[in-house]
Amino acid sequence: MKKRLFSILVAAFLLIVLCPTALGDGTAVNVTAFGWEYYDLSAEVCAIVNEERAAAGLSPLSRNAHITELAMQRAAEIALYYSHTRPDGTSCFTVFDGLNAYKAENIAAGYASPEAVMEGWMNSEGHRANILNGVYSYIGVGCFKSASSYCWVQLFSSNIPDTTPTDNVDAAVPMCRSISTLPEYIDADISCGSNVTVDVGQSLSFTVQNVNPVFAQCRLMLVPEPVGNDQLVAIDVENGSVTITGLYPCTTEVALPVYPGEASPLSITVTVTGASGLPGDANSDGVVNSADALLIMRFSLGAGGTLPPNADFDGDGIINSADALLVLRSSMGL
């Protein structure tokens, strides 16, 4: 798998000169990304960093809880747009919210372990310089994985508002992260394709995945807000996965916008097959009316053919004229 490494180092007071706070005239939108955050791997990277610093005669860095959370946010962001520029067009250092300190960022994607990513960084002059810079006292490491590759971020700082260390070593923490992004970085597709078929009562699950415009091997699950006919299909969204359950035979469209007001959202065409399951809907058209009553009456008189089990309107186990009468009364609102 291809791997990517970037490093950046600049003093906070130089950000205005070297790192403009916005790029382009686009208006950012907010999307929700889903993935897993690996605090155990974060801790391992920090341990290796301090081993390298000790070998170079430098003091260890404190693994800081505040910076770790900032790094986790940045790791989710580079899964969407792999750059030291944040997806909304601002400098990576804006994640520090104006902190007056010397700061640096290393990023990487495609490495499967702390040892592998640290080897990549240490073999790169710029990344190595950040890791072995004596001006820093604090470190936070983000490790985020969504639909494909691990994304890694190291944040270094000489100062931090909250100096609380972290001992969080939780593995694979499911997390939704809100990301502010320019719309042009949204290039999503549906994991199961845009046309699916399910039977009545059956479900299909899929994800909406964004393709990173810089590092295409990196795919990020975006959490949509589906819009569909809830009389025809049931829609549930959990942990980044969309589940559609067929309710009545039909072909219907479900829109999958990933941010409010999206002009041309993805959509999926769902064809639901089989009997509707609606009591009395003998012809499985999703509506109970006099046509169903006529079918049931003809069946009860021996006209032959088969009817779905839900034609047994009164649930007594027999499809007969009583069911036909009940369906007719129901269709008339009686």
Side-chain angles (χ1 to χ4, degrees):
M1 177 182 289
K2 292 182 180 178
K3 306 175 180 68
R4 288 292 178 93
L5 292 167
F6 284 167
S7 69
I8 188 167
L9 167 62
V10 68
F13 58 82
L14 293 180
L15 289 180
I16 268 185
V17 178
L18 299 181
C19 295
T21 57
L23 300 177
D25 298 323
T27 300
V29 297
N30 291 319
V31 298
T32 300
F34 176 80
W36 292 266
E37 296 179 341
Y38 293 83
Y39 290 85
D40 56 340
L41 304 184
S42 165
E44 289 182 39
V45 169
C46 291
I48 301 172
V49 164
N50 283 332
E51 289 173 6
E52 295 289 353
R53 287 175 66 88
L58 297 169
S59 58
L61 300 177
S62 172
R63 182 176 177 240
N64 178 264
H66 181 74
I67 305 182
T68 297
E69 288 308 305
L70 299 183
M72 289 294 182
Q73 175 68 27
R74 284 290 296 132
E77 291 178 358
I78 68 167
L80 191 151
Y81 177 57
Y82 188 82
S83 173
H84 287 297
T85 299
R86 301 180 75 181
D88 65 358
T90 62
S91 159
C92 63
F93 295 120
T94 60
V95 77
F96 284 95
D97 196 24
L99 176 69
N100 183 21
Y102 288 97
K103 303 179 284 282
E105 175 179 86
N106 288 342
I107 66 175
Y111 292 88
S113 70
E115 294 79 9
V117 72
M118 277 300 297
E119 181 180 0
W121 277 328
M122 290 302 291
N123 286 332
S124 166
E125 182 179 352
H127 299 87
R128 180 185 177 91
N130 284 341
I131 292 168
L132 299 182
N133 193 319
V135 75
Y136 304 123
S137 300
Y138 303 99
I139 186 173
V141 174
C143 179
F144 180 87
K145 185 177 183 181
S146 186
S148 58
S149 304
Y150 286 98
C151 291
W152 306 85
V153 172
Q154 289 177 324
L155 290 179
F156 305 90
S157 180
S158 61
N159 183 30
I160 199 71
D162 179 1
T163 58
T164 305
T166 181
D167 58 0
N168 187 347
V169 291
D170 292 340
V173 178
M175 180 63 66
C176 286
R177 289 271 178 181
S178 178
I179 299 176
S180 178
T181 181
L182 299 176
E184 54 259 42
Y185 298 145
I186 303 298
D187 181 20
D189 56 34
I190 304 170
S191 62
C192 65
S194 59
N195 292 275
V196 297
T197 300
V198 296
D199 289 335
V200 169
Q202 292 189 336
S203 300
L204 173 76
S205 296
F206 59 88
T207 57
V208 173
Q209 300 182 10
N210 197 67
V211 180
N212 196 300
V214 179
F215 187 37
Q217 291 89 337
C218 194
R219 298 176 69 89
L220 176 66
M221 284 185 278
L222 297 179
V223 181
E225 296 186 4
V227 179
N229 188 333
D230 59 8
Q231 300 299 310
L232 302 177
V233 292
I235 308 170
D236 182 59
V237 181
E238 184 176 2
N239 286 349
S241 180
V242 181
T243 299
I244 291 180
T245 303
L247 299 180
Y248 303 116
C250 65
T251 296
T252 187
E253 199 89 0
V254 176
L256 300 165
V258 296
Y259 58 86
E262 185 176 5
S264 301
L266 289 173
S267 64
I268 185 168
T269 301
V270 183
T271 299
V272 183
T273 59
S276 74
L278 184 67
D281 185 14
N283 60 7
S284 297
D285 66 353
V287 181
V288 177
N289 54 25
S290 58
D292 299 298
L294 180 59
L295 279 176
I296 295 172
M297 182 61 76
R298 288 172 56 83
F299 179 82
S300 69
L301 294 173
T306 59
L307 291 180
N310 58 300
D312 179 17
F313 192 84
D314 59 14
D316 66 355
I318 302 171
I319 299 174
N320 55 23
S321 58
D323 297 300
L325 179 59
L326 288 171
V327 168
L328 183 61
R329 288 174 59 84
S330 176
S331 68
M332 297 172 63
L334 301 176

